[in-house]
Amino acid sequence: MKPPRTVASDYAERRARIGARLPADAVLVLSGGVLHTRSNDTEHRFRPDSSFHYLTGLSAPESVLVIRGGASPSSALFVQEKDRAAEIWSGRRPGPEGAKQLTQVEDAYPISSLDSLLCDLLHGAREVHIPIHRDDALRERVLRASRAVARGDRSGAISPTRLVDADVIMGEERLLKDEAALASLRHAVALSALGHREAAAHLRPGSYEYEFEARLEYAFRRNGSTGPGYGSIVGAGDNANILHYVENSAEIQHGDLLLVDAGCEWEFFTGDITRCYPASGTFSPAQKAVYEVVLAANLAGVEASTVGGNINAIHTRCLDVLVDGMLELGLLSGSKDAVLEREEYKRFYMHRTSHWLGVDVHDVGTYSVDGTPRPLEVGHVLTVEPGLYIANDLDGVPDEFRGIGVRIEDDVWVTAQGPTVLSDAAPKTISDVEALVGSAL
Ligand code: GLY
Ligand code: MN
Ligand code: MN
């Protein structure tokens, strides 16, 4: 698998598109993110802000990007200065000159000059786009600079009067995958599928959930990924019924079905794949019965991921198949209409079916436009992830189904020719899954 590389001109093109989306009197300001404390005086590995990285390719804490809209949009980048002593302890910094070369921004400055230069950059702007639902520190900084510009009003200065959520414009931009984005995402999904295959090939009863996690993540890292795009979920038996189970600490028993929801990042785009593996190598009849229902729902949901369709319709389509299955399996009784009307299916299927996928696992981009579901377009990428969760302690459930949790999640690219399943290298038919499990032992 040849790894794709997004180059400086790709990032420059994205900034140019954002500049063109911005009104002429608008400025967009994004920060690159900060280091987060893990405990006491140690920190998590730095992960740049998704939109900042999408527009610069830089992974540098304490950076800020400013884009001015209009006929000839331009970008200014503020980064930490080179500092030999700090770099010996905490890693290399590009410095303003290096950042300019790496990103092709028009201007680059030391971050220490942000407050004063921000006043110049906001001068003449009416509208400032910042992420208003996060990053309080940036908002304060922008408001301080804006106030300083406003004080000059009497001498003719034009100062901002509107704060707009930058995630709206960034959501619209990031929803439609450009060529480089698609290449990164495809590679992230391909490596995610590879991790699934390698770990499942070593699965055996008596191993531990964390061993599976370690094999997955070894495959991710060994192939150059920065690592998982979210906490890997590896849940055996009843643990599969905890939707965000990340302890991954239990021993996998003979007869357990192992639910694995894991994906890795490439250039900070992430895959998001869920598969279920029978530890012993074969599905029990009850596991098979549940799995077949979810697989049918997954296939129906993928088929519905077409231009002009929408995420609500995909959910409804999957629900239709799942509810038929729940009635057939005897998990629910009564009429289908009543089950749907009273939402009784939520005992066994309590989440939605799809979300946008991109730099974030639950990516930016609104799900409705003017109150109606957003129609799918060529270039959208979404997940289709129906499931059935039959927790051990649920009342009134046939015994053979207790403790079975199944989700089958694919990453789907909407094209003019129909849905393309990016995650199809991760086996999902019963026979393919059975052939894979334990095949490396
Ligand atoms: N892995 C998170 C999700 O499937 O939405
Ligand atoms: Mn998902
Ligand atoms: Mn997932």
Side-chain angles (χ1 to χ4, degrees), residues 30-113:
L30 293 175
S31 74
V34 292
L35 281 161
H36 293 284
T37 301
R38 182 177 183 277
S39 76
N40 192 16
D41 59 352
T42 58
E43 282 140 352
H44 288 284
R45 183 160 54 193
F46 180 66
R47 198 312 187 157
D49 175 80
S50 296
S51 286
F52 178 90
H53 187 272
Y54 177 89
L55 293 175
T56 62
L58 273 191
S59 182
E62 311 286 348
S63 308
V64 170
L65 172 70
V66 182
I67 301 182
R68 287 202 61 138
S72 49
S74 68
S75 302
L77 197 50
F78 295 82
V79 296
Q80 289 177 316
E81 272 181 285
K82 298 286 294 173
D83 177 331
R84 189 166 166 73
E87 289 179 65
I88 285 173
W89 285 95
S90 310
R92 297 185 182 92
R93 300 173 174 184
E97 269 318 302
K100 192 170 173 175
Q101 277 176 15
L102 285 170
T103 62
Q104 296 183 355
V105 290
E106 283 74 12
D107 300 297
Y109 306 99
I111 189 71
S112 53
S113 62

Side-chain angles (χ1 to χ4, degrees), residues 230 261 272-274 385 407 409:
Y230 53 92
D261 182 346
D272 183 11
I273 303 178
T274 308
E385 49 180 303
R407 175 165 66 255
E409 175 174 31

Side-chain angles (χ1 to χ4, degrees), residues 63-241:
S63 308
V64 170
L65 172 70
V66 182
I67 301 182
R68 287 202 61 138
S72 49
S74 68
S75 302
L77 197 50
F78 295 82
V79 296
Q80 289 177 316
E81 272 181 285
K82 298 286 294 173
D83 177 331
R84 189 166 166 73
E87 289 179 65
I88 285 173
W89 285 95
S90 310
R92 297 185 182 92
R93 300 173 174 184
E97 269 318 302
K100 192 170 173 175
Q101 277 176 15
L102 285 170
T103 62
Q104 296 183 355
V105 290
E106 283 74 12
D107 300 297
Y109 306 99
I111 189 71
S112 53
S113 62
L114 176 66
D115 291 330
S116 60
L117 290 181
L118 200 50
C119 293
D120 296 341
L121 290 163
L122 293 185
H123 187 100
R126 284 293 187 198
E127 199 171 282
V128 185
H129 294 238
I130 55 170
I132 56 177
H133 299 302
R134 51 198 173 85
D135 211 338
D136 295 348
L138 183 69
R139 189 179 57 232
E140 285 312 308
R141 227 165 171 175
V142 165
L143 287 178
R144 236 185 358 254
S146 172
R147 224 170 283 141
V149 182
R151 271 190 228 112
D153 268 358
R154 273 170 293 171
S155 53
I158 293 176
S159 59
T161 52
R162 283 189 303 280
L163 272 190
V164 181
D165 187 10
D167 283 352
V168 174
I169 224 172
M170 289 308 303
E172 292 300 306
E173 164 66 26
R174 282 168 48 188
L175 252 183
L176 290 178
K177 305 297 182 273
D178 62 25
E179 218 174 288
L182 198 59
S184 302
L185 192 47
R186 290 188 91 128
H187 196 62
V189 177
L191 291 184
S192 305
L194 177 79
H196 271 262
R197 287 200 310 272
E198 286 194 8
H202 287 86
L203 174 60
R204 59 175 174 81
S207 60
Y208 283 78
E209 293 166 345
Y210 51 74
E211 291 181 63
F212 196 105
E213 178 186 9
R215 280 202 190 274
L216 267 174
E217 298 187 4
Y218 174 50
F220 298 164
R221 290 292 279 150
R222 197 185 70 230
N223 286 288
S225 161
T226 42
Y230 53 92
S232 301
I233 296 166
V234 183
D238 199 40
N239 291 340
N241 293 311

Side-chain angles (χ1 to χ4, degrees), residues 234-319:
V234 183
D238 199 40
N239 291 340
N241 293 311
I242 301 168
L243 296 179
H244 290 157
Y245 175 79
V246 288
E247 286 168 49
N248 305 346
S249 56
E251 185 176 0
I252 302 165
Q253 308 295 325
H254 187 87
D256 275 353
L257 195 56
L258 182 73
L259 184 151
V260 179
D261 182 346
C264 69
E265 291 181 327
W266 187 262
E267 296 182 327
F268 295 108
F269 284 82
T270 189
D272 183 11
I273 303 178
T274 308
R275 292 291 186 265
C276 296
Y277 306 106
S280 63
T282 44
F283 288 83
S284 71
Q287 288 167 348
K288 194 181 265 189
V290 175
Y291 191 90
E292 275 171 346
V293 170
V294 178
L295 183 58
N298 166 285
L299 295 173
V302 168
E303 193 183 273
S305 304
T306 52
V307 173
N310 65 69
I311 276 179
N312 276 6
I314 295 169
H315 181 64
T316 305
R317 183 76 196 92
C318 286
L319 206 48

